[in-house]
Amino acid sequence: MLTGKENCAFLGKPPQALLHDNKPIYSDKKLHDAVEKTTRMIPATLRRPGNKAILEGGFGKFEQEVGRIHLDDSSEEALKKSAVAEILRAYTAGSDHAGRAEFDGKSRQEVLRNACPDPDRERRFIEQLHADHSKPRKDCLPTREVARKLLDKGFALFGIEGLDPQGKIREWLSVRFGPEAIRQGLAIFGTKRDKGLLRSNMAHRYLVKVIQNCQHEIDLRRQKELLREFAETEHNAWLQDLIPDYELLKAECDGSSPEKDLDFRVSENAVFGCLFLQQAFWENKLKALLKDRRDRIAAVCNHVRRLFEATWEDRFQLMSKLIAWEYQISG
């Protein structure tokens, strides 16, 4: 990896900005004092790996071009020779310094140097980006204070405050998980601890995992409720379209011909329904029609069998249900 000075030499000038991870090392004051003489340091967007995708992709690209580095450390002389050989191989395998046809013979390095933006024109954008990425992030739950009180109470009650002397674990939990999950997690943790099933020096890790699992379960229950609510709305919307279709079909079918046979027409809709809800609707209507007319089931089966435009699976499934209704072996 290139050092800061080597990067400047490669670009021909110091970069205007440096996008970096949110690791603690990048908060070091000495690092900022050294780098920000010429280059603005900008933290990457939190929890968005794609923010640095182009930069991270460079490592994989280098690995593809150069491959594994092999050094022979059997002796000092062998190590020197292998190191020189690998440096030459890596340099020749790389593509940044080589002339490219698409750049009229210029290398990527030359193009990059000439493509560096005008410092004055881009400065305002860089400063705004730095301000946006550096301001405190308000991504904690509004229940943080209540959650923290629960955690403080639980840690004190179970005598595990010493495992979190600075409160960092409790703070991390309080901004991410709701009071209900924390309350449940503490209760589960307490019963396990009372049974002597937890090692004291690892207890806090178990508690974190339990609270996470409780939150996932709470979220899943809420998601299930929302799914049911939205599914009911969708179900009613489909029925609003299907019920008039059935009434129209009944009015059209007088039984004077196979084309106007209500049983046949409903069975066709059951086979060709593109959605499960549509198929279920027409199957229920067909079942109601045939409930007291089981002698008609054989004819309907034959009609369904000859619906060659439908798939074999759809025809087979409906015929299977018809026969089950005929012999009353299906509800």
Side-chain angles (χ1 to χ4, degrees):
M1 184 179 293
L2 297 177
T3 65
K5 291 182 179 179
E6 290 171 333
N7 270 313
C8 293
F10 179 82
L11 293 170
K13 63 183 75 173
Q16 293 193 60
L18 172 66
L19 187 67
H20 61 79
D21 289 323
N22 288 278
K23 297 184 177 69
I25 187 175
Y26 293 106
S27 301
D28 184 76
K29 185 178 183 302
K30 292 182 179 179
L31 178 64
H32 276 261
D33 291 343
V35 174
E36 292 202 309
K37 291 177 181 178
T38 57
T39 302
R40 173 64 84 178
M41 294 180 64
I42 302 176
T45 306
L46 197 63
R47 288 193 288 275
R48 284 186 58 191
N51 196 211
K52 303 187 280 67
I54 296 177
L55 302 178
E56 298 291 349
F59 294 103
K61 185 177 179 182
F62 177 83
E63 186 176 2
Q64 289 176 353
E65 293 176 343
V66 178
R68 186 181 294 274
I69 301 294
H70 297 279
L71 296 176
D72 181 2
D73 60 353
S74 58
S75 67
E76 184 177 350
E77 187 64 23
L79 181 60
K80 291 178 181 178
K81 288 182 178 180
S82 62
V84 171
E86 289 296 82
I87 290 171
L88 291 173
R89 185 177 67 82
Y91 181 80
T92 54
S95 57
D96 289 337
H97 63 279
R100 311 286 296 185
E102 64 267 30
F103 297 141
D104 298 325
K106 294 181 180 179
S107 68
R108 288 174 174 167
Q109 181 179 4
E110 291 177 295
V111 173
L112 179 62
R113 285 184 174 183
N114 295 329
C116 287
D118 178 70
D120 296 330
R121 188 183 65 183
E122 300 296 331
R123 178 55 56 185
R124 181 180 299 177
F125 166 75
I126 290 174
E127 292 299 331
Q128 183 61 50
L129 186 65
H130 176 268
D132 292 341
H133 282 221
S134 300
K135 62 185 178 183
R137 295 179 173 87
K138 299 179 180 179
D139 55 355
C140 67
L141 295 178
T143 55
R144 175 197 162 278
E145 290 188 13
V146 176
R148 181 59 191 265
K149 289 180 180 179
L150 283 171
L151 288 163
D152 288 342
K153 171 70 174 179
F155 271 63
L157 179 64
F158 302 134
I160 57 174
E161 291 175 303
L163 300 178
D164 184 29
Q166 298 179 353
K168 291 184 178 180
I169 296 175
R170 282 168 282 173
E171 183 63 21
W172 186 86
L173 289 169
S174 65
V175 301
R176 288 168 174 80
F177 304 107
E180 184 180 359
I182 292 172
R183 186 173 66 250
Q184 292 179 4
L186 288 170
I188 295 171
F189 175 86
T191 56
K192 286 277 188 180
R193 177 181 171 277
D194 292 344
K195 295 175 183 177
L197 300 177
L198 300 176
R199 292 182 296 171
S200 59
N201 61 335
M202 303 292 287
H204 59 301
R205 296 185 182 181
Y206 174 75
L207 177 59
V208 169
K209 188 62 179 176
V210 169
I211 291 175
Q212 287 178 325
N213 290 341
C214 289
Q215 186 66 64
H216 291 161
E217 184 63 29
I218 292 168
D219 291 345
L220 193 60
R221 287 201 302 268
R222 177 56 180 155
Q223 289 158 5
K224 182 181 72 173
E225 293 171 359
L226 290 172
L227 282 171
R228 288 187 177 279
E229 183 176 339
F230 291 128
E232 183 178 0
T233 301
E234 182 182 0
H235 178 270
N236 293 335
W238 282 112
L239 288 182
Q240 287 178 358
D241 293 333
L242 294 174
I243 291 175
D245 290 345
Y246 178 63
E247 296 300 326
L248 181 62
L249 200 60
K250 285 199 300 183
E252 292 176 351
C253 295
D254 56 10
S256 59
S257 66
E259 290 76 16
K260 293 187 177 183
D261 186 295
L262 183 60
D263 298 337
F264 290 174
R265 295 290 299 278
V266 172
S267 68
E268 291 171 10
N269 287 341
V271 169
F272 291 109
C274 58
L275 294 178
F276 177 79
L277 179 62
Q278 292 174 323
Q279 291 179 340
F281 174 84
W282 291 111
E283 285 176 4
N284 287 336
K285 292 299 182 184
L286 182 60
K287 184 178 181 181
L289 287 171
L290 300 175
K291 181 179 180 181
D292 298 321
R293 300 162 57 237
R294 284 191 289 161
D295 57 304
R296 286 281 297 162
I297 290 180
V300 175
C301 266
N302 288 332
H303 180 72
V304 171
R305 181 173 58 83
R306 291 191 292 267
L307 295 175
F308 299 113
E309 299 89 346
T311 65
W312 174 88
E313 291 84 357
D314 289 338
R315 287 182 289 151
F316 177 81
Q317 289 299 326
L318 184 54
M319 287 191 297
S320 176
K321 291 179 181 179
L322 285 164
I323 293 171
W325 298 341
E326 181 180 7
Y327 287 92
Q328 298 181 329
I329 56 176
S330 175

